[in-house]
Amino acid sequence: MKEQIQVTLPDGSQRSFPAGITPLEIAAALSASLAKKVLVARIDGVVRDAFTPLYNDVTLHLLTWDDPEGKAAFWHSSAHLMAEALEALYPGIKFGYGPPIDHGFYYDVDPGDRRISEADLEAIEKKMAELAAQDNRYIRRDIAKAEALDFFEKKGDPYKVETIRELNDGEISFYQQGNFIDLCRGPHIPSTGLIKAIKLTNIAGAYWKGDEKNKQLTRIYGITFPKQKELDEYLQMLELARQRDHRKLGRELGIFTFDDDVGPGLPLWLPNGGVLIEQLELLAKQTEEQAGYVRVRTPHIAKESMYLTSGHLPYYQDSMFPPMELEGGRYYLKAMNCPHHHKIYAAEPRSYRDLPLRIAEYGTVYRYEQSGELFGLMRVRCMNMNDAHIYCTEEQFADEFRAVNDMYLRYFKIFGIEKYVMRFSTHDPAKRGQKYLDLPELWAKTEGMVRRVLQDSNIPYVEVPDEAAFYGPKVDVQIWSVIGREFTLATNQVDFGQPLRFGLTYTNRNNEPQTPIVIHRAPLGTHERFIGFLIEHYAGSFPLWLAPVQVAVLPIADRHLDYANNLMGRLRQERLRARLMGSDEKIGKRIRTAETAKIPYMLVVGDKETSEGTVSVRRHGQGDLGPFSIEQLTRRLREEIAEVLG
Amino acid sequence: MKEQIQVTLPDGSQRSFPAGITPLEIAAALSASLAKKVLVARIDGVVRDAFTPLYNDVTLHLLTWDDPEGKAAFWHSSAHLMAEALEALYPGIKFGYGPPIDHGFYYDVDPGDRRISEADLEAIEKKMAELAAQDNRYIRRDIAKAEALDFFEKKGDPYKVETIRELNDGEISFYQQGNFIDLCRGPHIPSTGLIKAIKLTNIAGAYWKGDEKNKQLTRIYGITFPKQKELDEYLQMLELARQRDHRKLGRELGIFTFDDDVGPGLPLWLPNGGVLIEQLELLAKQTEEQAGYVRVRTPHIAKESMYLTSGHLPYYQDSMFPPMELEGGRYYLKAMNCPHHHKIYAAEPRSYRDLPLRIAEYGTVYRYEQSGELFGLMRVRCMNMNDAHIYCTEEQFADEFRAVNDMYLRYFKIFGIEKYVMRFSTHDPAKRGQKYLDLPELWAKTEGMVRRVLQDSNIPYVEVPDEAAFYGPKVDVQIWSVIGREFTLATNQVDFGQPLRFGLTYTNRNNEPQTPIVIHRAPLGTHERFIGFLIEHYAGSFPLWLAPVQVAVLPIADRHLDYANNLMGRLRQERLRARLMGSDEKIGKRIRTAETAKIPYMLVVGDKETSEGTVSVRRHGQGDLGPFSIEQLTRRLREEIAEVLG
């Protein structure tokens, strides 16, 4: 056994420590303030407790609240804390599963004859806070199956017993904090004292193991934070998100709807949604045209053979729609555009002079999501994707990847997205040939280039080892709406695999066949998710360039209709989307209607305006701006659009 | 029995004739020149021989070569004439089927041990001409089944015997011209002398009844005309069409391709095709925006229940892709956009103030066509349709229909389509309640309005009684390419049925629910068919506004590259699609490449141009235009585009 071990840190530096040291102790050696923040550690790619003693040379990532794995452990430990509180308040309560989720955690419990309701949550929170203040350590113990069974049989918890029966000896562990012991594989945070702010949010029914033939348990949802301020902000964000709910606004503003005869998860875009889509596509098409992309169109279906070649069948089959049987063969709705684009690449012989070839398409793909998973525009079955595939040489890769990144930054600026992070997933060299394609040079080169591009461009990014795709490194783009809610926007993937599977080649200067690298990219993601995001982000008050109706013209009385119509003609000439709101209703009511519809500009025209050839301008959310000449108005509108789009 | 009958002519006028008179005699009474042209007649909606004696009051359409039914009878009679010639040249030859087709006719024959080859066609043509010169009448005889069987059994023609066996007594007729007798339901033209020009075009094998388990017969194709000049023009058109074949040019010009792994009839649009599509869509979107349409987007699939409501299932099932079985239900790829649009109409309560509502979408629909029927872009399984549905009141109908017509005329002008005809299909009042929806007032009103619109706008049109759709009158739009080939562009349909099936309503001024009328319209048809047409129409030399690459920049030597790049920047600023063709190849070769790619403008830049800041301009198909300043050039290009698009 070693006396000293070499620990490799994320920046590549190496430090020597005595064998048996824990990640938490290493953190303390590095910085006292860091030690207070460490929740768990990634040890040689696997996330484990910060108390895990290290006996070999390792690569070590100390993970905090800022890492997704840190948050997950924090919330998982919070679920245990809630269980401890429940056991104190409801002796004999039984426990099902209690995992962390995207935002918080839940625990499925069986209180027996008792009933836990919303009204009880405060008392449970209070008990949790009391137990958290005891700052008990989360202590791990590996345990034999027989012993584990014995414990929970004696305790009288049938769910845990059933769970243990399905596990194998040697893979079972318990965690204990305070007096509470749970079956758990971990990892957990060091101690309950780190949990400073607690909110139980919701109670629902949930069948044991999700099977409606089983008993219904009580699912209690909660969320916790290391600081009270973060909880306060989160709750405020939730309230804002509720007000800006894209499903509610989407319907009210005539953006989209669903219909039972069309099917769940298949949005019908209403006329105002149609404008949003057209404007987004126009922006993307112009941006991509300037960046040297070419545009193609491909069918929404293909034969089974295509997806056998691509490898999506059988591995991805569960996420695809079922096949259509035709002429003795099978056709599938496409779940991705790449294979079709590869076929277009392969349709002609290519030489190095043709590269980079950037093939773009607003392609609609269909993916099967379970009904229960569908959610407004955020989880759908039909996705209109701002897709493109860049075929390039190794030499061209860095420039191409940089250009993709620049495109993201340009979009972030246009849409006022101020908080974003790139999650850069790399491969584990030890797993090449199994989890990853065995192309060491390509991995090293492309990962190095991606890292350099991210560093050079000062984009906030985190590097996540051992989470690359089988066929290359990838970058997931996370963005935050103005109210602070996180969205996954898109993924850029580097792909060495598909070009090989499809036999894509180009001839180099020496007339030798070479395999191109493919970059998959979709900076605006899908219309569905992105417009869902934008509705929340803008609370439905879209910027002028994007607004479905940009200008409402409101004649005060019928005698101003001629002038109003004249004005409509002028606005249309300027290619502005204008709506005449002349009706029997009173002007005040019509202004309120236009405000509710969140139309950016309202032009009121009465006697004075008609005689002077002016308009009286209201800006949504700002109120009255006073009289404008038509020229002043159109200049203002042009400038407002140019300010964003440049 | 009547002594006199009343004959109602297409213009609505009535004439009295003695009972027993034939359409041919009526024609002679009307005009001697007309009598020479009459081929068959539509009697109370049914097309029959011009010799048919009339004993009752009838409506009568005299049909000539200018009517599709006239051409069909002419070619059907020509098939009989070819059979007569074949029997003379190959005694004992057996006959299968011999129908007219879109252009000409064929007959499937069994020459026994003999072989008929291309080399024999001239002799057959000669014999046909000889028999035609005899000007034999086509004589119809209704015949009992037993007698018909007896005749062909004695003659020894097993195919005819098999055909007769499948017919019922009372529905069997023979036609005889000269010495040749054929089993046939007709109708036929008056006599062989009308057939003045004959061309047998092709020989192929064809299984009896299309079943490969049966014997292979010899299929001889031919075409005939009433004038030699028309045949000459037809052959010349065929040769031009061969040179302009959209499949050949489509591939050469990088417009589209097919791929076995994607599937037959599913085009992949290559980048140059992508530009054509984008430009066509831009034109349509701008045109429709100005015409007050709104745009929506709908999924490519829907549940079975939608197509049960629309009535497409089960009646249209054979033309739809097979279903996808999901969650215990069935999803279908949409074969039309209307049901989705009806759902959008129904998504909100509508009042008369919301109408007309014009819902447009470039929707992709999928229709199953048999593999053997697929043909380039002309017959495909995936169709990108310039679709829209107009929901309007009865009062608004005429204006809306007129506006649709005007839109066609604008497109014809833009695309230089000089020959076109609208085929107006009306209903037969006697068949209301069976073949047609029983809404007499709506039929009368809408047919009257459509007729008036067609007359007012001076559009060439033919009226075809008893060919309306079940749910309303329709107008098929036929266009001719510059080389004289006919294409079906699109259909406008009036629809009283779908609004009822989907329960679509609006409230009128009195707040009462009313059913809107729907107009289906798709003036540019589908991208597939229309681009296929345009490739032939323009022989691949697209007008400047539409050309995938508008300008090629050709630096003579490397030292002109900077200037050429500068020029590229200027052209892109002007939003022109420019390609730099600077390479190692000689300038002459590059000019030839640009000419072959049919790029409208080639800008050659050398020492002189670089120093003077000019370009040397070549126009595709016109050659050298001499030196231009950049301003002169961009002005010329802008003007050339504006000349077409206005």
Side-chain angles (χ1 to χ4, degrees):
Chain A
M1 203 159 136
K2 290 184 169 211
E3 292 198 357
Q4 287 283 318
I5 59 166
Q6 289 293 322
V7 175
T8 308
L9 295 168
D11 62 1
S13 69
Q14 293 201 326
R15 297 277 295 261
S16 181
F17 292 102
I21 193 168
T22 67
L24 201 57
E25 288 163 346
I26 292 175
L30 295 172
S31 130
S33 69
L34 177 63
K36 283 187 202 151
K37 294 197 294 178
V38 168
L39 299 175
V40 281
R42 194 187 297 110
I43 303 166
D44 284 341
V46 181
V47 182
R48 308 184 63 179
D49 295 344
F51 288 127
T52 311
L54 305 174
Y55 297 104
N56 293 301
D57 294 349
V58 293
T59 64
L60 183 71
H61 253 81
L62 297 166
L63 301 169
T64 69
W65 178 252
D66 296 331
D67 299 290
E69 298 90 340
K71 280 197 182 65
F74 192 87
W75 286 328
H76 192 183
S77 299
S78 301
H80 281 228
L81 181 67
M82 179 171 76
E84 185 182 1
L86 286 166
E87 196 164 68
L89 295 171
Y90 303 86
I93 192 170
K94 320 286 184 231
F95 295 97
Y97 294 125
I101 54 178
D102 278 359
H103 298 284
F105 59 88
Y106 68 77
Y107 218 125
D108 289 343
V109 299
D110 179 355
D113 298 337
R114 292 156 295 188
R115 197 171 158 274
I116 304 177
S117 70
E118 299 272 349
D120 303 312
L121 296 183
E122 208 180 313
I124 304 169
E125 283 172 10
K126 216 174 139 201
K127 179 55 97 180
M128 285 172 74
E130 185 189 315
L131 295 167
Q134 295 175 6
D135 198 18
N136 296 314
R137 260 186 69 176
Y138 286 88
I139 302 161
R140 178 191 178 91
R141 184 155 71 94
D142 292 321
I143 193 160
K145 185 168 178 170
E147 195 184 334
L149 276 176
D150 184 57
F151 176 84
F152 279 106
E153 274 163 3
K154 282 207 181 110
K155 188 181 174 194
D157 197 324
Y159 308 106
K160 295 292 173 188
V161 169
E162 188 178 337
T163 306
I164 295 165
R165 288 228 167 87
E166 289 159 8
L167 296 172
N168 297 316
D169 225 337
E171 61 180 31
I172 300 171
S173 53
F174 281 2
Y175 272 86
Q176 173 167 10
Q177 88 271 16
N179 295 319
F180 181 75
I181 295 174
D182 205 347
L183 168 73
C184 186
R185 74 161 57 92
H188 282 281
I189 62 175
S191 66
T192 61
L194 292 159
I195 302 169
K196 302 286 191 197
I198 299 162
K199 178 74 190 172
L200 301 188
T201 48
N202 193 16
I203 288 194
Y207 296 103
W208 167 236
K209 291 185 167 176
D211 185 340
E212 57 185 30
K213 277 174 264 153
N214 290 337
K215 183 165 184 191
Q216 199 177 46
L217 307 180
T218 302
R219 176 169 294 178
I220 306 175
Y221 286 96
I223 193 162
T224 52
F225 291 89
K227 287 181 189 156
Q228 182 62 37
K229 186 165 161 278
E230 286 179 89
L231 173 58
D232 294 343
E233 284 168 1
Y234 175 76
L235 293 176
Q236 192 193 1
M237 185 271 283
L238 275 194
E239 172 53 23
L240 286 172
R242 199 187 55 73
Q243 290 164 15
R244 294 168 175 233
D245 188 323
H246 81 277
R247 295 167 301 170
K248 176 174 147 279
L249 285 177
R251 186 67 208 237
E252 283 169 13
L253 299 176
I255 294 172
F256 70 97
T257 188
F258 289 97
D259 187 282
D260 285 344
D261 285 331
V262 177
L266 300 169
L268 292 165
W269 292 96
L270 303 174
N272 285 344
V275 175
L276 294 177
I277 288 180
E278 290 289 331
Q279 292 306 310
L280 290 176
E281 291 196 357
L282 205 62
L283 171 68
K285 286 174 185 177
Q286 287 177 358
T287 303
E288 286 164 8
E289 190 184 314
Q290 282 163 21
Y293 287 65
V294 293
R295 300 198 78 76
V296 302
R297 299 279 186 117
T298 64
H300 302 92
I301 57 176
K303 281 164 125 177
E304 182 175 38
S305 56
M306 178 110 119
Y307 299 110
L308 290 169
T309 301
S310 70
H312 289 107
L313 287 178
Y315 304 107
Y316 194 71
Q317 192 155 19
D318 287 348
S319 297
M320 292 174 75
F321 270 68
M324 291 166 275
E325 309 272 350
L326 191 71
E327 294 174 342
R330 287 171 166 189
Y331 284 78
Y332 282 89
L333 268 178
K334 68 178 173 187
M336 61 293 299
N337 298 303
C338 8
H340 282 87
H341 291 185
H342 300 336
K343 287 294 187 180
I344 284 178
Y345 180 93
E348 291 172 44
R350 307 287 179 182
S351 96
Y352 68 94
R353 279 189 297 256
D354 302 322
L355 302 191
L357 180 63
R358 308 176 193 93
I359 296 181
E361 178 177 25
Y362 254 103
T364 312
V365 300
Y366 288 81
R367 291 183 190 168
Y368 176 68
E369 300 269 359
Q370 303 219 345
S371 304
E373 302 287 313
L374 299 173
F375 179 76
L377 292 176
M378 287 299 156
R379 276 281 190 113
V380 287
R381 289 178 174 171
C382 167
M383 275 153 279
N384 225 292
M385 193 179 287
N386 169 228
D387 214 351
H389 296 90
I390 301 170
Y391 302 81
C392 63
T393 68
E394 283 180 40
E395 295 70 41
Q396 293 163 339
F397 175 81
D399 282 347
E400 291 304 310
F401 199 84
R402 190 183 312 276
V404 169
N405 255 299
D406 289 348
M407 201 177 279
Y408 273 96
L409 295 178
R410 172 170 144 75
Y411 287 135
F412 292 160
K413 190 149 168 280
I414 287 174
F415 292 102
I417 296 166
E418 289 174 2
K419 183 174 174 197
Y420 50 85
V421 67
M422 305 271 183
R423 205 176 136 85
F424 173 33
S425 298
T426 55
H427 83 305
D428 179 346
K431 297 179 186 164
R432 279 197 302 256
Q434 303 128 50
K435 190 175 169 187
Y436 302 109
L437 273 180
D438 194 16
L439 297 165
E441 277 177 41
L442 263 180
W443 280 105
K445 202 181 272 186
T446 55
E447 286 183 356
M449 289 192 280
V450 170
R451 193 178 292 114
R452 199 153 53 247
V453 167
L454 290 171
Q455 285 165 351
D456 287 355
S457 53
N458 282 319
I459 291 174
Y461 82 99
V462 291
E463 192 165 330
V464 193
D466 199 21
E467 292 213 353
F470 173 68
Y471 44 76
K474 64 172 181 168
V475 174
D476 293 299
V477 183
Q478 304 291 119
I479 58 174
W480 278 259
S481 71
V482 283
I483 60 166
R485 214 146 71 107
E486 185 180 358
F487 291 79
T488 299
L489 176 63
T491 300
N492 301 333
Q493 294 197 322
V494 185
D495 193 335
F496 327 133
Q498 292 278 307
L500 293 170
R501 295 186 76 105
F502 279 89
L504 306 184
T505 58
Y506 66 92
T507 51
N508 66 11
R509 281 173 193 279
N510 305 321
N511 217 25
E512 298 156 341
Q514 301 286 321
T515 302
I517 296 177
V518 170
I519 303 172
H520 305 249
R521 45 111 280 174
L524 297 179
T526 66
H527 282 323
E528 288 72 17
R529 182 176 280 269
F530 194 59
I531 290 178
F533 165 81
L534 290 180
I535 293 172
E536 172 176 312
H537 188 59
Y538 293 125
S541 293
F542 298 102
L544 187 62
W545 72 273
L546 191 56
V549 179
Q550 298 170 308
V551 183
V553 175
L554 301 120
I556 290 179
D558 280 354
R559 66 180 177 279
H560 311 119
L561 259 174
D562 277 354
Y563 181 66
N565 272 313
N566 204 297
L567 187 56
M568 285 290 293
R570 282 290 301 276
L571 295 169
R572 283 194 181 135
Q573 260 176 24
E574 298 273 337
R575 306 226 57 205
L576 289 161
R577 297 182 291 277
R579 179 190 294 169
L580 182 64
M581 292 178 73
S583 86
D584 307 339
E585 287 173 334
K586 293 219 174 107
I587 185 71
K589 180 144 190 233
R590 280 182 280 148
I591 290 176
R592 281 194 300 281
T593 305
E595 289 279 5
T596 308
K598 300 176 194 276
I599 298 171
Y601 281 89
M602 287 149 277
L603 311 181
V604 180
V605 293
D607 289 336
K608 184 160 177 292
E609 289 79 11
T610 304
S611 68
E612 292 177 0
T614 58
V615 290
S616 187
V617 178
R618 282 182 72 88
R619 180 72 173 87
H620 175 76
Q622 291 177 25
D624 205 353
L625 302 184
F628 277 67
S629 75
I630 314 295
E631 288 66 32
Q632 283 174 323
L633 171 78
T634 54
R635 195 182 327 119
R636 183 187 163 110
L637 298 179
R638 272 199 307 274
E639 283 171 5
E640 189 171 330
I641 291 171
E643 226 171 75
V644 181
L645 297 186
Chain B
M1 204 159 132
K2 290 186 172 208
E3 290 197 2
Q4 288 282 319
I5 58 167
Q6 290 293 324
V7 175
T8 307
L9 296 167
D11 61 2
S13 67
Q14 293 203 326
R15 296 277 297 260
S16 179
F17 292 103
I21 194 170
T22 67
L24 201 56
E25 288 163 346
I26 292 175
L30 295 171
S31 132
S33 69
L34 176 63
K36 281 187 204 152
K37 294 196 294 182
V38 168
L39 299 175
V40 281
R42 193 186 298 111
I43 304 167
D44 284 341
V46 182
V47 183
R48 308 184 64 180
D49 295 345
F51 289 127
T52 311
L54 307 174
Y55 297 105
N56 293 302
D57 295 349
V58 293
T59 65
L60 182 72
H61 253 82
L62 298 165
L63 300 169
T64 70
W65 179 253
D66 296 330
D67 299 292
E69 298 90 340
K71 281 197 181 65
F74 192 89
W75 286 329
H76 193 181
S77 300
S78 301
H80 281 229
L81 181 68
M82 179 171 78
E84 186 182 359
L86 287 166
E87 195 162 70
L89 296 170
Y90 303 87
I93 191 169
K94 319 286 185 232
F95 295 98
Y97 294 123
I101 53 178
D102 276 359
H103 298 284
F105 58 88
Y106 68 77
Y107 218 126
D108 288 344
V109 299
D110 179 355
D113 297 337
R114 292 155 297 187
R115 198 172 157 270
I116 303 177
S117 71
E118 299 271 348
D120 304 312
L121 295 182
E122 207 180 315
I124 303 168
E125 283 172 8
K126 218 175 137 199
K127 179 52 99 180
M128 284 173 74
E130 187 188 315
L131 294 167
Q134 294 175 6
D135 198 17
N136 296 312
R137 262 186 66 176
Y138 286 88
I139 302 161
R140 177 191 178 91
R141 185 155 70 93
D142 292 321
I143 194 161
K145 184 166 179 174
E147 197 185 333
L149 276 175
D150 184 57
F151 176 84
F152 279 107
E153 273 164 4
K154 283 206 181 110
K155 189 182 174 193
D157 196 324
Y159 307 106
K160 294 293 172 184
V161 169
E162 187 177 337
T163 306
I164 294 167
R165 288 230 167 87
E166 290 160 7
L167 295 173
N168 296 315
D169 223 336
E171 62 179 31
I172 301 171
S173 55
F174 280 4
Y175 273 85
Q176 174 166 9
Q177 89 272 17
N179 294 318
F180 180 77
I181 295 174
D182 205 346
L183 168 74
C184 185
R185 73 162 56 95
H188 281 282
I189 62 174
S191 67
T192 62
L194 293 159
I195 302 168
K196 303 287 193 198
I198 299 161
K199 179 71 188 175
L200 300 188
T201 49
N202 192 17
I203 288 193
Y207 296 104
W208 168 235
K209 292 185 163 178
D211 185 340
E212 58 186 26
K213 279 175 260 148
N214 291 335
K215 185 164 183 189
Q216 200 177 50
L217 306 180
T218 303
R219 177 170 293 179
I220 308 175
Y221 286 95
I223 193 162
T224 53
F225 292 88
K227 288 181 189 154
Q228 183 62 38
K229 186 167 159 275
E230 287 179 89
L231 174 57
D232 294 344
E233 284 168 3
Y234 176 77
L235 294 176
Q236 193 195 358
M237 185 271 283
L238 275 194
E239 172 54 23
L240 286 172
R242 201 188 54 73
Q243 291 165 17
R244 293 167 174 234
D245 188 324
H246 82 277
R247 294 166 302 171
K248 177 175 146 278
L249 285 177
R251 186 69 209 232
E252 284 170 15
L253 298 175
I255 295 172
F256 70 96
T257 188
F258 290 97
D259 187 281
D260 285 345
D261 285 331
V262 176
L266 299 170
L268 293 165
W269 292 97
L270 304 173
N272 284 345
V275 176
L276 294 177
I277 287 180
E278 291 288 332
Q279 292 306 307
L280 290 176
E281 291 196 357
L282 205 61
L283 172 66
K285 285 174 185 175
Q286 287 177 358
T287 303
E288 287 165 6
E289 189 183 316
Q290 281 162 23
Y293 287 64
V294 293
R295 302 198 76 78
V296 301
R297 299 280 186 116
T298 64
H300 301 92
I301 58 175
K303 281 165 131 177
E304 184 175 38
S305 56
M306 177 109 120
Y307 299 110
L308 290 170
T309 301
S310 71
H312 289 106
L313 287 179
Y315 304 107
Y316 194 71
Q317 191 155 21
D318 287 349
S319 296
M320 293 174 74
F321 270 68
M324 292 166 274
E325 310 270 350
L326 191 71
E327 295 175 341
R330 288 172 165 187
Y331 283 78
Y332 282 89
L333 268 178
K334 69 177 171 186
M336 61 292 300
N337 298 303
C338 5
H340 283 85
H341 291 185
H342 299 335
K343 286 294 189 182
I344 283 177
Y345 180 94
E348 292 173 43
R350 306 288 178 182
S351 96
Y352 68 95
R353 279 190 296 258
D354 301 323
L355 304 191
L357 180 64
R358 309 179 193 90
I359 296 182
E361 177 176 26
Y362 254 103
T364 311
V365 299
Y366 288 81
R367 294 185 188 164
Y368 175 67
E369 301 268 0
Q370 303 219 343
S371 305
E373 302 287 312
L374 298 173
F375 179 76
L377 293 177
M378 288 298 155
R379 277 278 190 117
V380 288
R381 289 178 173 171
C382 165
M383 275 153 280
N384 224 291
M385 193 178 289
N386 168 227
D387 215 349
H389 295 90
I390 301 170
Y391 302 79
C392 63
T393 68
E394 284 180 39
E395 295 70 42
Q396 292 164 339
F397 176 80
D399 282 348
E400 290 305 310
F401 200 84
R402 192 184 311 278
V404 168
N405 255 298
D406 290 348
M407 202 179 276
Y408 273 96
L409 295 177
R410 172 169 144 75
Y411 287 136
F412 292 160
K413 191 151 167 281
I414 287 174
F415 293 102
I417 296 167
E418 290 175 0
K419 187 177 172 192
Y420 50 85
V421 66
M422 305 271 182
R423 206 176 134 85
F424 172 34
S425 298
T426 55
H427 84 305
D428 181 344
K431 295 179 186 162
R432 279 198 303 256
Q434 303 125 54
K435 191 174 168 187
Y436 301 109
L437 273 180
D438 195 15
L439 298 164
E441 277 176 41
L442 264 180
W443 280 105
K445 203 181 268 184
T446 53
E447 286 184 358
M449 289 192 281
V450 170
R451 193 178 293 115
R452 200 154 50 245
V453 168
L454 291 171
Q455 284 166 353
D456 287 356
S457 55
N458 282 319
I459 291 174
Y461 83 100
V462 291
E463 191 165 331
V464 194
D466 199 22
E467 292 214 352
F470 173 67
Y471 45 75
K474 64 173 181 165
V475 175
D476 293 299
V477 184
Q478 304 290 117
I479 58 173
W480 278 260
S481 72
V482 284
I483 60 164
R485 215 146 70 106
E486 187 181 355
F487 291 80
T488 299
L489 176 62
T491 299
N492 301 333
Q493 294 196 323
V494 186
D495 193 336
F496 327 131
Q498 292 277 307
L500 292 171
R501 295 187 76 105
F502 279 90
L504 306 183
T505 57
Y506 66 92
T507 52
N508 65 12
R509 280 174 193 278
N510 305 321
N511 216 24
E512 298 155 341
Q514 302 284 320
T515 303
I517 296 176
V518 170
I519 303 172
H520 306 247
R521 46 108 284 172
L524 296 178
T526 65
H527 282 325
E528 289 71 17
R529 181 176 280 267
F530 194 59
I531 290 177
F533 164 83
L534 291 179
I535 293 172
E536 172 177 311
H537 187 60
Y538 293 124
S541 292
F542 297 102
L544 186 61
W545 72 273
L546 191 57
V549 179
Q550 298 171 308
V551 184
V553 174
L554 302 120
I556 291 178
D558 280 353
R559 66 181 178 279
H560 310 120
L561 259 174
D562 278 354
Y563 181 65
N565 272 315
N566 205 296
L567 188 54
M568 285 290 292
R570 281 290 300 277
L571 295 169
R572 283 195 179 134
Q573 260 175 22
E574 299 272 336
R575 306 226 56 202
L576 289 160
R577 297 182 291 275
R579 180 191 294 167
L580 182 65
M581 294 177 71
S583 85
D584 307 339
E585 288 174 332
K586 292 222 175 103
I587 184 71
K589 182 145 188 231
R590 278 182 281 147
I591 289 176
R592 279 194 301 282
T593 304
E595 288 278 4
T596 307
K598 301 177 194 274
I599 297 171
Y601 281 90
M602 289 149 276
L603 312 181
V604 180
V605 293
D607 288 338
K608 188 162 173 294
E609 289 78 12
T610 304
S611 68
E612 292 176 0
T614 59
V615 290
S616 189
V617 178
R618 282 182 71 90
R619 179 71 173 87
H620 175 76
Q622 291 176 26
D624 206 352
L625 302 183
F628 279 65
S629 74
I630 314 294
E631 286 68 28
Q632 284 174 321
L633 171 79
T634 55
R635 196 182 325 122
R636 182 189 163 107
L637 297 179
R638 271 199 308 274
E639 284 170 3
E640 189 171 329
I641 291 171
E643 227 170 76
V644 182
L645 296 187

